[in-house]
Amino acid sequence: MADAAVLMLLSRLAPKLEKVVREEARLAFNPNDEAQKLSSKLKKIQQVLMDAEQKAIVDPKVRSWLDKLQDISYDIEEVLDKWDLHNLKQESGDASESSHQLHKKVSSFLQSGFYRFKQSVVRHPVARNIHKLNKRLDLISKENEDEFKFIPNLSRETQDFRRIISTSIVDVSKIHGRDDDLKLLIKKLLPEKGSVLEDDIHIVSIVGAGGMGKTTLAQLAFNDNTMKDHFGIKIWVCVSHPFDEIKVAKAILEAVDRESPNLSQFESLLQSIKDSISGKRFLLVLDDVWTEDDTMWKPLHITLMENGAPGSRILVTTRNRKVAEIMGSTQMQLLDPLSDPHCWSILSQIAFHGRQEGDCEMLKEIGREMAQKCKGMPLAAKTLGGLLRFKSSLQEWKNVLKSKVWEMDEVRTNIFPFIALSYNELHPAVKRCFSYCAIFPKDFLINVDDLIRIWMAHGFLTSSGIVGEMELKGREYFEDLAMRSFFQDFEFDALVGDNRVEWCKMHDLVHDFAQSLTNNECLIAQNDVETQNGAWDKNIRHLNLLKFEGKISMDLFSHSQTRKLCSFMCTENEIPLFLFSHLKRVKLLNLNDCKLKDVPMEIGDLIHVRYLNLGRNSIEKLPESICDLYNLQTLNLTKCWSLHGLPQGIEKLVNLRHLLVDGTPSRFEFTQGLEKLVNLQTLDRFGCIRGYDNKLGYLKDLNQLGGSLTITIIFLDDAYDFVSEAEKADLKNKSFIQHLTLECEEVEGFGVIVALQPSPNLLRLDFIASYLPNWITTLINLRELKIGEVENENGVLHSLRNLPFLEELTLYDLQVESLSLEFFGLTTVATSKPPSAFPKLMHFCIQYCKMLEEWDDIGDEEEEEDETIISLLPCLQRLEILLCWQLKVLPHRLLRKAAPSLQILTIGSCPYLLERYSEGRGGEDWDKIAHIQNVYIR
């Protein structure tokens, strides 16, 4: 990884370093020779890095040279961070006394005129360090000139990231060539009635080499509709290496009970599992099992086998047949390689996406030859397809076929050649972003927005100073990687569409490749003897401590172990407070759920920190020194249930872009100064309560806010200052916010709610208040709308049918007794023009409307008048009616009109409807809804 890291670091640091040296030289009346020399030296190093990258594959000496170059690049960046902090403090008038004295010393140098540049370098700390770094660069450059003699690359083509015009991501969710395998697997999981296997609990294993599609096959079976009816409980657990029985047990409980168990003793967990699954038929998938130690599996095995209902199944995926036997598999399904035509089918689906038919025809012959290279591995076909997608000519395809990567002995038998080919095509900054993902554990569910913030913290995303530019570039880098199949298992943003991924994972083999690039830089520390003794390379830059059982050894945090760390992730571990004084270089500090009750003042000394996650801790107050972290870009305080508020000096965090406070107390204090953080793009919650100083007017100038924002207002009235503050918030001009939640509890009067009118660009609104304002009907771009606790809707409810793009509508706890035909625009049937009510609505949910007794239906005559109501709910696919205790009957004829699209009807905790429509209870009107494909009544 050093090659990409160095090229990216040097390209970013060279102009910045030149500027610093120029300023130092100018202060001492020195010519610019030193600056010009340094700039030229950096540019020369950049030019030879591409050649060095190729030679480093086979030459360990070159790799060592790159490692030294990377090491000095980190040191350069540290020095420049200190310089930036010094300048920022000077500009803000917050310079320390030592900084003031330092400038007085520089001024005396200027007045005397007797000091040469070399002397000023020695006296000025920043300049002195730069001078030392400059000498180290001389040695590295000389080593190239004397020994390696790398060939310069003078082309600019690879230096600038070229945004891919088509940003559509091809998600190959269908598993090609495995139809028979899927049928066989389902047959093993759902044996025929009367068979020997029907009444027992069995373990079924899928065994195959990495990249063969074991997990995908298991996913298809797990999500098959037949499984939903057969198994009362379905559980998916990613196991990976090492086998952690406590982690697996907790994952099982979390899937069954829908909440994280607050248990740490294995015996207690087993007892809870026993209680949760007792007498229930379950399907448990244990994905990616490696352990050959049956003693770790046996207690779980016994608990599951003895307490599950007959017909339960455990499905195991593994690369090792011996593991399947140790797990106690009664049936084993071996995955053979795909045929070449099936590999071609996967490869061409990706590689030909968006191409002209003529181009596809020209490339088919060589493409089929490429498919033979895949050796039957679906992942290889996906990866190679992702590479070829961006090769436009026949000659470019031939160049891939002739690549020397195929000749690499150490990777000839596995997937790495395909990943290496795609990796080599990446821009250096994108390479760096990819390789950093080795810091996450295997099977880790990655939040893409958070990943981009992490890349940003490490300087992988450069910016010209435009707000939001780095986040946009990070999204482009991610999409580039996703389209080349470096990520998979996408979960898309439902509001934006299928081109914006919210969550994803990395395939195990892709993760292995990333780790191979970062062996001397990234480390995921396990709970083992070596880790406890701190036995790892002291040059590690990025450290992720997975959950340890018991206390972590103090030796783990010695100064020598932590002095070079740039990333420190430690989740669900108790850490010593003195650690903060050991992380002088860290840029990313993730202490999520680390049992912190206090944050020491020393955190203010971590001047390089750009990403700070203190979420899920018991912190009551943040120290004021946290406001000295001038470089801070992301501050995550999510689910800090005891935290009183933000520190008083919050306005000093001028670089803060993402502030996450969801899950903090309702009386959380948003201190004055928040309004000066004009670079904020994320503020997920803001609260305003009578008697507290939080003012809605703090939001006035935060016009870069985007994503999701929840505003909670409690115990306000229409007093002048509250309405005035709501108007100052100017939500109407917050055009980047896509999802707004307004919770107006115990709000007296109407003025505050009216003044909180959001931008018409809003895509989703969750509105909970007693009054329903007219401005809702102006939000013409809404895709999702939830309305709750409304007592007086003033007729606005009947206007919702005119929202042209509304796809989901939820009515929650409304004080209404009937849902009239007027709601659907059917005040009179005899109209000259067919009404178009809710033209895009796909999901309609009525929940906890405890006063709702009637839902008006159209008459027999109107049902036959197709022309008059042909446009009624034309897209409705799903209808849910939950906790409506007084509702007597459904509008049968109205629902029949929606029958062509209506696929799912769910009725829950509605006693009258349960009695009337339940097929099993002989409901009198079951036949009225029997035409709906899926009906669930409980």
Side-chain angles (χ1 to χ4, degrees):
M1 183 178 68
D3 40 19
V6 172
L7 186 58
M8 190 269 303
L9 274 169
L10 292 183
S11 63
R12 180 163 53 88
L13 296 178
K16 194 172 180 181
L17 188 54
E18 180 180 349
K19 177 184 175 184
V20 173
V21 178
R22 283 180 185 275
E23 290 180 359
E24 293 302 315
R26 187 173 63 250
L27 284 173
F29 295 111
N30 193 74
N32 287 332
D33 294 347
E34 185 81 4
Q36 293 295 340
K37 177 184 174 183
L38 183 59
S39 177
S40 174
K41 193 184 311 174
L42 288 171
K43 289 176 182 176
K44 284 182 180 179
I45 291 175
Q46 289 177 12
Q47 290 169 359
V48 303
L49 281 176
M50 289 193 68
D51 186 42
E53 175 184 3
Q54 297 299 320
K55 292 177 179 176
I57 295 174
V58 293
D59 191 339
K61 288 185 179 179
V62 178
R63 175 57 57 185
S64 176
W65 182 83
L66 285 170
D67 287 344
K68 286 188 283 186
L69 190 54
Q70 176 174 266
D71 205 47
I72 193 173
S73 298
Y74 279 112
D75 292 342
I76 292 172
E77 192 165 34
E78 180 185 13
V79 170
L80 295 185
D81 257 6
K82 292 179 179 178
W83 173 259
D84 282 344
L85 179 62
H86 167 73
N87 285 341
L88 189 60
K89 284 187 173 183
Q90 286 298 122
E91 292 171 5
S92 64
D94 189 45
S96 64
E97 183 179 350
S98 59
S99 297
H100 177 67
Q101 291 173 348
L102 180 64
H103 270 263
K104 284 182 67 178
K105 202 174 292 185
V106 171
S107 297
S108 68
F109 293 162
L110 293 174
Q111 292 171 5
S112 68
F114 293 113
Y115 291 89
R116 298 172 59 192
F117 174 71
K118 197 169 187 178
Q119 290 172 313
S120 69
V121 164
V122 172
R123 289 175 179 270
H124 194 297
V126 174
R128 183 171 63 246
N129 287 330
I130 291 174
H131 188 65
K132 290 179 180 178
L133 293 170
N134 200 6
K135 287 185 175 181
R136 287 170 60 189
L137 271 178
D138 278 334
L139 294 175
I140 290 174
S141 298
K142 191 174 187 303
E143 192 175 356
N144 169 42
E145 294 167 1
D146 293 347
E147 182 176 358
F148 301 121
K149 296 180 173 61
F150 298 125
I151 301 171
N153 171 46
L154 302 178
S155 170
R156 292 285 301 167
E157 181 180 354
T158 59
Q159 301 302 309
D160 299 319
F161 174 73
R162 293 173 294 173
R163 189 174 189 273
I164 300 165
I165 296 174
S166 172
T167 58
S168 57
I169 295 171
V170 182
D171 186 18
V172 187
S173 55
K174 182 181 179 183
I175 187 163
H176 295 257
R178 298 291 189 202
D179 292 340
D180 291 340
D181 289 304
L182 180 59
K183 290 177 183 176
L184 179 60
L185 179 59
I186 290 176
K187 188 175 181 179
K188 289 176 179 178
L189 296 174
L190 300 174
E192 296 178 0
K193 290 185 178 181
S195 69
V196 179
L197 300 174
E198 183 188 9
D199 293 332
D200 295 326
I201 300 176
H202 287 278
I203 300 176
V204 180
S205 287
I206 306 173
V207 182
M212 282 295 177
K214 302 181 296 296
T215 299
T216 307
L217 181 63
Q219 286 172 337
L220 288 173
F222 186 81
N223 294 318
D224 191 271
N225 287 331
T226 55
M227 301 292 167
K228 183 169 50 181
D229 299 329
H230 186 79
F231 296 105
I233 301 173
K234 293 199 305 176
I235 309 161
W236 185 287
V237 180
C238 295
V239 180
S240 292
H241 183 75
F243 188 96
D244 185 336
E245 63 268 36
I246 292 180
K247 176 184 172 184
V248 173
K250 284 190 172 185
I252 292 172
L253 276 176
E254 190 170 349
V256 175
D257 298 335
R258 304 300 181 193
E259 59 182 27
S260 182
N262 188 24
L263 299 170
S264 57
Q265 296 298 318
F266 190 42
E267 288 299 324
S268 301
L269 288 166
L270 290 178
Q271 182 61 46
S272 296
I273 291 174
K274 176 181 177 181
D275 297 339
S276 296
I277 67 170
S278 181
K280 298 175 184 177
R281 188 157 53 189
F282 65 83
L283 170 63
L284 169 62
V285 178
L286 298 175
D287 184 39
D288 195 25
V289 180
W290 289 72
T291 184
E292 296 182 11
D293 183 357
D294 65 338
T295 60
M296 302 184 74
W297 162 240
K298 189 170 288 184
L300 266 172
H301 181 207
I302 294 172
T303 300
L304 293 166
M305 299 296 281
E306 290 184 352
N307 294 284
S312 295
R313 292 290 182 268
I314 300 172
L315 176 61
V316 175
T317 73
T318 180
R319 301 184 195 182
N320 191 330
R321 183 165 185 158
K322 183 179 178 182
V323 170
E325 293 171 352
I326 289 172
M327 296 291 287
S329 301
T330 52
Q331 299 181 80
M332 206 175 298
Q333 187 162 333
L334 304 179
L335 280 193
D336 295 321
L338 294 179
S339 66
D340 289 343
H342 282 129
C343 282
W344 167 239
S345 179
I346 297 172
L347 189 154
S348 60
Q349 181 181 347
I350 299 174
F352 286 170
H353 183 78
R355 287 188 195 266
Q356 297 294 327
E357 187 175 347
D359 293 339
C360 296
E361 198 63 38
M362 174 186 68
L363 298 169
K364 273 184 180 179
E365 184 177 347
I366 189 173
R368 289 194 170 93
E369 192 174 349
M370 293 274 199
Q372 296 174 15
K373 291 276 190 182
C374 298
K375 305 299 182 185
M377 293 183 286
L379 178 61
K382 286 175 62 178
T383 306
L384 194 52
L387 169 65
L388 295 172
R389 182 180 178 185
F390 307 106
K391 303 292 183 184
S392 56
S393 68
L394 179 62
Q395 185 58 49
E396 287 179 304
W397 281 48
K398 287 180 178 179
N399 291 342
V400 174
L401 192 61
K402 295 175 183 177
S403 172
K404 291 185 179 180
V405 174
W406 305 112
E407 301 171 10
M408 294 168 61
D409 290 337
E410 67 270 26
V411 295
R412 191 174 289 166
T413 58
N414 59 34
I415 199 75
F416 280 10
F418 306 97
I419 306 173
L421 277 168
S422 286
Y423 175 80
N424 289 337
E425 292 285 322
L426 297 173
H427 179 271
V430 183
K431 285 182 179 180
R432 191 68 179 90
C433 290
F434 162 72
S435 58
Y436 183 82
C437 294
I439 196 65
F440 301 116
K442 285 186 177 180
D443 293 311
F444 184 76
L445 189 61
I446 300 171
N447 179 276
V448 178
D449 285 336
D450 202 47
L451 177 63
I452 291 169
R453 292 167 193 157
I454 290 172
W455 288 345
M456 186 170 65
H458 286 291
F460 303 160
L461 311 174
T462 56
S463 170
S464 61
I466 300 173
V467 177
E469 183 180 10
M470 284 195 286
E471 288 81 0
L472 179 60
K473 187 172 290 187
R475 178 60 65 167
E476 291 173 357
Y477 287 1
F478 171 79
E479 289 174 355
D480 190 23
L481 289 167
M483 284 183 278
R484 297 176 192 270
S485 299
F486 286 99
F487 294 107
Q488 63 177 32
D489 295 346
F490 302 120
E491 295 180 21
F492 294 95
D493 187 331
L495 283 177
V496 180
D498 289 349
N499 287 332
R500 194 177 194 281
V501 180
E502 277 193 298
W503 300 86
C504 67
K505 289 185 178 181
M506 295 178 74
H507 191 281
D508 283 356
L509 289 174
V510 177
H511 191 276
D512 289 342
F513 178 74
Q515 283 185 318
S516 74
L517 300 170
T518 60
N519 283 337
N520 63 341
E521 190 176 6
C522 288
L523 176 67
I524 299 175
Q526 309 286 348
N527 190 11
D528 53 33
V529 175
E530 284 190 0
T531 298
Q532 288 284 6
N533 293 332
W536 63 61
D537 191 332
K538 290 181 173 55
N539 290 316
I540 289 295
R541 298 282 183 176
H542 309 288
L543 175 63
N544 188 353
L545 289 184
L546 302 185
K547 185 176 182 182
F548 280 48
E549 295 304 324
K551 286 195 173 183
I552 301 175
S553 166
M554 293 299 101
D555 295 336
L556 196 65
F557 299 119
S558 67
H559 178 66
S560 61
Q561 295 292 110
T562 58
R563 66 187 178 88
K564 287 190 175 183
L565 287 181
C566 295
S567 300
F568 183 75
M569 300 182 182
C570 183
T571 302
E572 298 184 68
N573 287 306
E574 187 173 354
I575 62 168
L577 291 183
F578 71 78
L579 172 68
F580 288 87
S581 62
H582 284 214
L583 300 173
K584 296 298 186 181
R585 289 191 176 188
V586 74
K587 294 181 179 179
L588 178 144
L589 184 57
N590 186 344
L591 301 178
N592 187 279
D593 198 6
C594 283
K595 303 177 176 62
L596 283 174
K597 294 182 179 179
D598 297 293
V599 178
M601 292 290 292
E602 287 79 5
I603 196 171
D605 296 331
L606 309 184
I607 62 172
H608 304 290
V609 169
R610 288 160 168 80
Y611 178 105
L612 178 60
N613 186 343
L614 298 173
R616 293 180 180 271
N617 284 298
S618 303
I619 304 166
E620 294 186 2
K621 185 178 181 180
L622 293 174
E624 282 299 313
S625 62
I626 208 169
C627 299
D628 293 334
L629 304 178
Y630 286 86
N631 287 310
L632 195 63
Q633 298 167 342
T634 299
L635 177 58
N636 190 337
L637 304 171
T638 303
K639 292 186 169 64
C640 287
W641 304 110
S642 303
L643 188 60
H644 295 161
L646 298 174
Q648 295 297 317
I650 192 71
E651 65 187 66
K652 293 197 289 185
L653 299 180
V654 293
N655 288 305
L656 194 63
R657 306 161 78 92
H658 305 283
L659 177 58
L660 306 169
V661 295
D662 188 41
T664 53
S666 59
R667 287 170 170 77
F668 185 86
E669 184 180 359
F670 294 87
T671 52
Q672 188 171 3
L674 180 71
E675 70 276 10
K676 295 183 179 180
L677 304 183
V678 294
N679 289 320
L680 266 188
Q681 296 171 52
T682 303
L683 175 63
D684 54 1
R685 187 180 74 80
F686 185 87
C688 187
I689 307 174
R690 183 190 300 165
Y692 284 77
D693 290 335
N694 297 349
K695 295 181 180 180
L696 286 165
Y698 292 167
L699 304 177
K700 178 182 177 182
D701 294 323
L702 308 185
N703 289 328
Q704 301 302 323
L705 289 180
S708 298
L709 170 63
T710 295
I711 297 179
T712 304
I713 302 175
I714 305 176
F715 299 117
L716 293 193
D717 55 30
D718 269 0
Y720 173 78
D721 56 341
F722 293 137
V723 177
S724 175
E725 287 293 320
E727 290 172 346
K728 286 180 185 177
D730 196 21
L731 292 186
K732 196 172 183 179
N733 287 315
K734 306 287 188 290
S735 57
F736 299 123
I737 295 177
Q738 296 179 322
H739 177 193
L740 178 65
T741 299
L742 286 179
E743 300 175 340
C744 304
E745 303 177 18
E746 306 293 333
V747 174
E748 303 169 8
F750 203 50
V752 174
I753 296 173
V754 170
L756 290 173
Q757 179 174 353
S759 163
N761 291 346
L762 200 65
L763 298 179
R764 176 175 176 179
L765 173 65
D766 294 350
F767 184 86
I768 303 172
S770 300
Y771 301 92
L772 199 60
N774 290 324
W775 52 249
I776 284 184
T777 61
T778 69
L779 306 179
I780 59 173
N781 289 298
L782 277 184
R783 301 311 195 261
E784 298 181 24
L785 174 60
K786 179 178 180 180
I787 299 175
E789 301 183 13
V790 172
E791 298 176 3
N792 181 6
E793 46 85 16
N794 296 327
V796 177
L797 200 63
H798 294 162
S799 301
L800 301 180
R801 63 178 181 269
N802 297 321
L803 294 175
F805 302 111
L806 191 64
E807 297 175 356
E808 295 192 26
L809 174 63
T810 299
L811 304 180
Y812 173 83
D813 195 15
L814 300 192
Q815 305 300 309
V816 294
E817 296 181 359
S818 66
L819 202 59
S820 68
L821 289 177
E822 187 180 359
F823 182 70
F824 299 100
L826 296 174
T827 51
T828 59
V829 177
T831 58
S832 58
K833 181 181 179 181
S836 180
F838 300 105
K840 298 290 184 180
L841 192 67
M842 293 187 288
H843 178 199
F844 184 25
C845 177
I846 307 173
Q847 183 175 359
Y848 196 56
C849 292
K850 50 186 178 294
M851 296 176 61
L852 182 63
E853 297 183 8
E854 298 179 359
W855 186 348
D856 291 350
D857 198 1
I858 55 177
D860 293 331
E861 301 82 3
E862 288 83 6
E863 183 182 5
E864 297 176 4
E865 296 282 348
D866 287 345
E867 292 184 1
T868 60
I869 52 177
I870 192 71
S871 299
L872 184 62
L873 297 170
C875 299
L876 187 64
Q877 299 176 7
R878 182 180 176 188
L879 173 63
E880 291 184 278
I881 307 169
L882 309 172
L883 295 163
C884 295
W885 302 318
Q886 303 300 322
L887 188 59
K888 305 294 193 304
V889 63
L890 296 177
H892 313 133
R893 290 177 288 275
L894 187 147
L895 294 182
R896 194 176 294 116
K897 277 295 176 185
S901 60
L902 186 58
Q903 300 174 10
I904 301 174
L905 171 62
T906 301
I907 300 173
S909 298
C910 303
Y912 290 110
L913 300 184
L914 175 66
E915 186 71 24
R916 188 164 190 147
Y917 295 103
S918 180
E919 180 185 21
R921 300 188 182 186
E924 59 183 288
D925 282 335
W926 160 250
D927 60 308
K928 303 288 183 25
I929 59 171
H931 60 276
I932 301 172
Q933 184 177 351
N934 299 290
V935 177
Y936 304 102
I937 302 179
R938 57 180 186 274

